[in-house]
């Protein structure tokens, strides 16, 4: 596996790979997914390169809370007053492909359930 500190998303954070960034602060960054699955599809990513949710430690609780508040902020910014879905794919069975923790913010259409 790629070093967590040198993930695709770390390269976006360091501006080595271009992305459409919609929000950034000292703990997190949010940018549009390159392969959107909904009219609004934004990834909210911690600057700390935690590989996946299962690797988070108790000291990460502030970052994890901040990520959810960032999703809320960005959803407001995007005008998703009708609702939205937040997804964290975790590990192989979760369908995770990039091993740098990220929250998918999906909106702009009604979502189905259950997910595939
Ligand atoms: P995962 O499958 O790990 O939950 O989600 C990874 C997401 O990253 C996918 O939705 C994929 O489209 C997105 N992605 C992969 N490479 C890039 C990239 O270079 N730029 C952006 N903006 N998104 C990417």
């Amino acid at each position: 596996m790629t070093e967590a500190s040198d993930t695709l998303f770390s390269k976006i954070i360091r501006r080595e790979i271009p992305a459409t960034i919609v929000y950034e602060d000292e703990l997190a960054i949010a940018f549009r997914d390159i392969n959107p699955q909904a009219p609004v599809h934004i990834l909210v990513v911690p600057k700390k390169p935690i590989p996946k949710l299962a690797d988070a430690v108790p000291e990460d609780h502030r970052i994890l809370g901040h990520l959810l508040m960032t999703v809320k902020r960005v959803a407001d910014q995007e005008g998703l007053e009708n609702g939205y879905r937040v997804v964290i794919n975790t590990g192989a069975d979760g369908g995770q492909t990039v091993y740098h923790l990220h929250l998918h913010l999906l909106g702009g259409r009604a979502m189905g359930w259950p997910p595939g």
Side-chain angles (χ1 to χ4, degrees), residues 75-95:
D76 287 348
Q77 197 174 291
E78 293 289 317
L80 298 176
E81 52 275 306
N82 226 23
Y84 49 87
R85 182 165 292 172
V86 184
V87 173
I88 303 176
N89 295 326
T90 304
D93 277 4

Side-chain angles (χ1 to χ4, degrees), residues 8-9 31-35 43 89 95-98 102 104:
L8 186 58
F9 294 165
F31 50 86
R32 296 195 191 279
D33 197 292
I34 204 166
N35 183 23
L43 302 174
N89 295 326
Q96 186 173 4
T97 59
V98 177
H102 51 281
H104 295 257

Side-chain angles (χ1 to χ4, degrees), residues 50-58 60 64 88-92 94 96 99-102:
I50 300 165
K52 60 186 187 297
L53 184 59
D55 297 319
V57 293
D60 293 326
L64 297 181
I88 303 176
N89 295 326
T90 304
Q96 186 173 4
Y99 279 81
H100 184 144
L101 175 66
H102 51 281

Side-chain angles (χ1 to χ4, degrees), residues 34-51:
I34 204 166
N35 183 23
Q37 302 301 311
V40 174
H41 187 173
I42 290 168
L43 302 174
V44 175
V45 179
K47 291 195 169 171
K48 178 179 176 183
I50 300 165

